[in-house]
Amino acid sequence: MEQITNILVVGIGGQGVMTAADIISQAAILDGYDVKKTEVAGMAQRGGVVTSHVRFGNKVLSPSITPGHADLMLAFEPAEALRWVTHVRNGATVMVNSYPQAPPVVSVGLFDYPENPEQQLADHPINLVNFDAGNIAIHLGDRRLVNSVMLGAIAAHLTLSSEVLKTALLSRFKNKGAEMLALNDAAFEAGKHASLTPTQ
């Protein structure tokens, strides 16, 4: 039976969910794997829910991850991690940015933000890795670096080479100048470090 790695990337619009999934896919291609990806972006430009499935292996026939079969979840927002946790298998690693960002449906009062989503996540049979990627990005100088921080964080949990993943990330910024490259490199390394020393 061929081994396929299933990665679920979740968050809300503007957090870089689809870009992160693109970079993981590109890294898997660079590492020689067959890759399939699909995504749902509901009102992404207005903070709506964004989800992407990435699957790679020697031969992948479908882009969709069957509920309960994700090997790794990269969650840019705690409540979105909680919403999708039933999509991961028992023992899967769930990497969560603990910096909350309520979607507009919560901000306008249509829905309540879940109470302590990280504690609710901890009740599931998963390997929860929880750290504040938002604050790491802010301290590095730009909140938009969350994407690179999160990619660095999952580097140690993928069968892909960490260097290939970083190469795929930095290739996005090769025309943006040395300063942007250095910032994203630093964010990637900060994410790697944070994922090994999580705060729970």
Side-chain angles (χ1 to χ4, degrees):
M1 184 174 177
E2 294 181 344
Q3 181 66 41
I4 294 174
T5 299
N6 298 311
I7 303 173
L8 187 63
V9 188
V10 304
I12 63 176
Q15 292 187 303
V17 170
M18 289 189 288
T19 300
D22 285 347
I23 291 169
I24 295 167
S25 299
Q26 184 61 39
I29 291 169
L30 290 172
D31 242 10
Y33 290 106
D34 184 31
V35 181
K36 297 286 185 296
K37 179 173 75 74
T38 186
E39 56 207 14
V40 175
M43 299 289 283
Q45 298 298 317
R46 297 186 180 181
V49 174
V50 183
T51 308
S52 186
H53 297 203
V54 179
R55 307 184 74 220
F56 64 86
N58 292 331
K59 184 66 179 176
V60 182
L61 300 177
S62 167
S64 297
I65 300 170
T66 305
H69 287 81
D71 301 301
L72 174 64
M73 178 160 69
L74 186 63
F76 282 64
E77 208 287 319
E80 288 307 308
L82 183 60
R83 181 204 301 268
W84 286 96
V85 71
T86 55
H87 230 73
V88 304
R89 63 171 171 75
N90 289 350
T93 294
V94 175
M95 187 80 57
V96 181
N97 172 20
S98 63
Y99 193 98
Q101 190 169 339
V105 290
V106 171
S107 303
V108 301
L110 294 176
F111 292 93
D112 293 328
Y113 193 83
E115 185 174 343
N116 201 344
E118 289 143 316
Q119 182 56 53
Q120 293 187 57
L121 282 167
D123 293 337
H124 290 265
I126 57 174
N127 172 32
L128 179 62
V129 181
N130 179 24
F131 65 98
D132 194 335
N135 264 327
I136 291 172
I138 289 169
H139 282 118
L140 287 170
D142 193 327
R143 176 98 187 271
R144 293 174 296 177
L145 292 168
V146 165
N147 189 306
S148 298
V149 173
M150 294 298 284
L151 285 169
I154 65 163
H157 300 271
L158 291 175
T159 53
L160 301 172
S161 155
S162 173
E163 286 306 309
V164 169
L165 183 60
K166 186 158 77 170
T167 296
L169 166 66
L170 296 182
S171 70
R172 291 279 181 140
F173 302 98
K174 63 184 178 187
N175 297 324
K176 302 287 185 182
E179 184 179 354
M180 189 63 74
L181 273 173
L183 270 175
N184 282 278
D185 193 337
F188 185 88
E189 293 300 326
K192 281 174 67 177
H193 177 73
S195 74
L196 299 176
T197 55
T199 55
Q200 302 223 12

